[in-house]
Amino acid sequence: MKLLLTSGGVTNKSIHDALVDMLGKPIAESSALCIPTAMYGHPWVGPGVKTWEFISGKEQSPMVNLGWKSVGVLELTALPSIDEARWVPLVRETDVLLVSGGDALYLCHWMRQSGLADLLPSLNAVYVGMSAGSMVMAPSIGEFFVGWTPPNGGDETLGLVDFAMFPHLDHEMLPYNTMANAEKWATGMQGPAYAIDDQTAMKVIYGEVEVVSEGKWKLFTP
């Protein structure tokens, strides 16, 4: 599986071009499934209007509204209640997974409960994460980002990449997401950690990491 881990979605030409390159074909010829689950765990974005905006492609962050051949919804909280034969083939056949922001630990919990976490490494799809949808791929998110508390506590996430992410760097609506706070956050992480703004994404193919940016970012190493 190829990963395009963004802070704010497909916000500029560099990130857009990276996505098309990873797909290997135009967006207009690619099928997508959007995953809004992380939004339900975060009080700012779900449930309600913001979730509908993401699913319907009316969101401010370009993800669902890029001109896909088709877009479906994969709601992870529903998957444990239906047979895998109903959804696993659908996921295997899709070209891209579009995973919203919200709460990374809530998303991680439902990725594991649904069985999607086990399926992800074997997929040929491109995984496009936004904010929490990107952070969930890291080994952990750090205490700074803990909101919803998982049943077993902690801040561990899927660990499908070996680095952590601090998104929305210097965002005007998030006054605590400063470079100074990113540096403090990074001291508590066990491996490499990136602070990235909404014009930046991490492209990961076969474990190789490339920063795609028209904005600001910084790598912190232990």
Side-chain angles (χ1 to χ4, degrees):
M1 189 178 60
K2 302 173 183 178
L3 308 177
L4 186 62
L5 306 178
T6 80
S7 172
V10 184
T11 53
N12 58 51
K13 186 178 185 299
S14 296
I15 298 175
H16 188 279
D17 289 350
L19 173 57
V20 174
D21 180 64
M22 294 168 81
L23 287 168
K25 59 182 175 179
I27 286 176
E29 298 177 10
S30 303
S31 61
L33 287 173
C34 73
I35 300 177
T37 307
M39 303 181 77
Y40 302 121
H42 197 294
W44 292 3
V45 291
V49 171
K50 294 291 185 182
T51 309
W52 174 81
E53 288 177 348
F54 175 74
I55 292 171
S56 63
K58 299 183 184 297
E59 80 281 25
Q60 294 180 350
S61 303
M63 290 273 279
V64 175
N65 58 0
L66 294 175
W68 303 101
K69 178 182 178 181
S70 65
V71 180
V73 178
L74 189 69
E75 177 43 62
L76 304 187
T77 61
L79 298 187
S81 63
I82 61 177
D83 194 280
E84 286 190 354
R86 295 273 306 278
W87 66 270
V88 170
L90 177 67
V91 174
R92 290 200 178 279
E93 292 166 7
T94 199
D95 294 309
V96 63
L97 299 178
L98 306 172
V99 187
S100 77
D103 190 287
L105 294 179
Y106 185 82
L107 175 61
C108 183
H109 174 77
W110 283 107
M111 280 187 165
R112 287 173 171 152
Q113 290 293 110
S114 67
L116 181 63
D118 294 330
L119 189 62
L120 286 175
S122 67
L123 297 181
N124 291 320
V126 177
Y127 178 105
V128 183
M130 177 174 62
S131 191
S134 298
M135 297 166 68
V136 72
M137 290 290 151
S140 62
I141 61 171
E143 187 64 30
F144 185 89
F145 292 108
V146 173
W148 183 84
T149 305
N152 296 326
D155 69 329
E156 293 79 16
T157 36
L158 297 180
L160 294 183
V161 299
D162 64 359
F163 57 87
M165 284 156 285
F166 184 107
H168 309 303
L169 179 65
D170 291 333
H171 196 288
E172 63 273 10
M173 300 296 291
L174 299 166
Y176 295 105
N177 284 39
T178 62
M179 184 63 79
N181 281 334
E183 291 176 357
K184 293 177 184 176
W185 161 84
T187 62
M189 309 311 291
Q190 298 300 310
Y194 289 87
I196 62 174
D197 69 3
D198 282 8
Q199 298 300 318
T200 301
M202 313 301 299
K203 179 180 177 182
V204 186
I205 301 178
Y206 301 122
E208 295 294 322
V209 181
E210 176 186 345
V211 179
V212 180
S213 182
E214 294 184 14
K216 185 177 181 181
W217 63 279
K218 185 171 182 178
L219 169 62
F220 303 97
T221 54

